[in-house]
Amino acid sequence: MYSIVELKGVKCGYRCGYCGNEEGKDSYGMWSHNMTVQDYQDLIDRGWRRSGKYVYKPIMNKTCCPQYTIRCHALNFHPSKTHKKTLKRVNKFLSKGEMPVEKQDEEHEGVLEEIKGRLKPLSTILQRTVAIAAGKTQSFLSGEPMDSVHEEGIRPPPQVSLNIDHSEVQDVTASPDTDTTNSTPPTTPREDAAPAPAEKTSNVMPKPGKGADPSRPPCRKAKDIRKERRLQKDQQMQQEAVSSSPNPTPSKSSSSNQPKSLEEFITESLPNDPLHRLEVRLVRSNPPSPQFKASFDASYQVYKLYQMAIHEDPPDKPSESQFKRFLCDSPLEAETAPDGPDVGYGSFHQQYWLDGRIVAVGVLDILPSCVSSVYLYYHPDFSSLSLGTYSALREIAFTRQLQQQSPKLAYYYLGFYVHSCPKMRYKGQYRPSDLLCPETYSWVPIERCIPRLDVSVYSRLNENAQAGDARALKDLGRVLVLHRRTVMPYAAYARKRKGSNDEKEVEQYASLVGQTCAERILLYRA
């Protein structure tokens, strides 16, 4: 089965939703009539992204707000303090029905955390200076990241289908010497820096009237005191259990010093009979499953309310046809593989049912190496629960679940990271994570990218000046085209169409998708 695309070309000077520049965005787009999951995996690993059946790639060195593809290492992910608060907030609502009074403005929280991160080094230096002057040392803990909700994607334009019957397509190509089997992208080794040792100070007795009072015990952090009290309480409870039970079972905290997993936080504090019941259902959206069809209207109504309340769309804008085009239509074919997940590959809606009604929906693509987040919409009545963050955490947990069935499916793609837009930096807080270099298409740990992006909104993230694009276009003649229901290499097409002036257009397309995809995907030629 072939992927079939039709060029739409460069779209220049349209409005940017991140900075508000009326003519700041530039992107390259194509309409995908259908696409294999492996081809789309390879495309998003080159900076492409879909909106419905429209597949686009920002022109990174021209657009006002460069959008870097970001992926999270799902297996190594640990929730931050803010993530834990969100999970506790939702669980508290489920178990007791307590809804937070004020809406959690996650975007502004992300901005405040960004400012806090910038000021942290100055604050740390000042505190360390004061501590040394006082004749004592002090350890400092790093701040916790903040996060927000998903951003709104580009809506695809209306498109007429080609209605191509694959059984009638004739292949006249020679067998290319390319490997079309599912390839697993190499995992970038992470070199996490070791924490710096605490500074040492001499135990010189301070002069009278200066420094710490030697007659008093040294100051301690409240956090350390709380930890010590918890430890003492755990030890006391353990001793009581030993004395009262002939066959004591060691507590979880005493048997392991490992931090709680994401899955444990998701289910933590939930009683057997909670006040509200939350059920997460995965339904295939393309081709639409019976479950998807049965819940379509309820799902659409939530989307319409979300667009009107959160994005302030007029009532006539989020129409049913626009909803289908934007979030239900997909070029991805439903596929299965012996080493793939049980649910198969393709496009899905992950529905959140609260007491028998839909309150949120996450639109997902399940691909050979990742779960790719497309969009998230929810009922505005539950906005105070931070469902954007909650759904992202559930999707990371879902990725980890799929990885147990398909080992190479190990990443969670969050779409685009936009460093020039402070409210979009929350995606960088789902760590460990990588950004895609826009020139070499290699993955770089986000910690190494931030200093470069602070200097320039567009940056070649790969520090190796000698590195290049491993899948760069090398042979234009081997690019596959579909002409009059016949598959042929571009070299044969050019000979057949003498005087054709589309070579530059085809060359631009092939350079953006890369040699490997260009030899697999069929470029439709009228």
Side-chain angles (χ1 to χ4, degrees), residues 281-296 351:
R281 302 178 189 173
L282 185 74
V283 297
R284 184 178 287 277
S285 56
N286 186 60
S289 66
Q291 296 83 0
F292 177 82
K293 292 178 181 178
S295 59
F296 175 85
Q351 302 172 338

Side-chain angles (χ1 to χ4, degrees), residues 42 64 126 130 134 167 174 202 248 274 302 328 371 459 485 495 504:
D42 290 344
C64 55
L126 179 61
V130 172
S167 63
S202 57
V302 173
C328 302
V371 169
S459 174
R485 297 178 181 265
R495 287 194 300 268
K504 287 186 177 179

Side-chain angles (χ1 to χ4, degrees), residues 220 222-235:
R220 298 174 60 197
K223 189 172 184 179
D224 294 335
I225 296 173
R226 289 196 298 270
K227 281 184 178 179
E228 184 177 333
R229 286 175 181 170
R230 280 199 299 269
L231 182 60
Q232 291 175 350
K233 188 175 180 180
D234 289 342
Q235 291 174 346

Side-chain angles (χ1 to χ4, degrees), residues 62 80 172 217 251 280 310 344 396 402 419 436 446 462 481 513:
K62 292 185 179 180
S80 69
V172 298
S251 64
V280 182
I310 307 301
I396 292 174
L402 295 181
H419 191 74
L436 186 69
I446 194 170
N462 192 318
V481 300
V513 302

Side-chain angles (χ1 to χ4, degrees), residues 21 72 208 246 250 272 354 368 371 381 402 404 439 444 460 462 489 500:
N21 188 332
C72 170
N272 294 328
L354 180 68
V371 169
D381 288 351
L402 295 181
Q404 295 177 1
E439 296 181 13
V444 183
R460 172 194 166 98
N462 192 318
S500 176

Side-chain angles (χ1 to χ4, degrees), residues 4 6 8 31-34 53 157-166 325 329-331 333 485 524:
I4 302 175
E6 186 176 357
K8 293 299 178 183
W31 190 265
S32 178
H33 294 277
N34 59 274
K53 289 190 172 185
Q159 178 73 14
V160 179
S161 173
L162 283 180
N163 295 324
I164 295 173
D165 185 355
H166 284 264
R325 250 191 351 260
D329 291 348
S330 171
E333 299 291 334
R485 297 178 181 265
Y524 176 73

Side-chain angles (χ1 to χ4, degrees), residues 176-178 471-480 489-492 495 503 506-507 509-511 513-520:
D177 299 328
T178 55
R471 297 186 177 184
L473 177 64
K474 297 180 177 65
D475 188 351
L476 183 63
R478 293 172 65 88
V479 174
L480 285 189
Y490 181 74
R495 287 194 300 268
E503 183 173 331
V506 175
E507 184 176 1
Y509 150 79
S511 64
V513 302
Q515 184 77 39
T516 303
C517 282
E519 292 184 21
R520 287 201 312 249

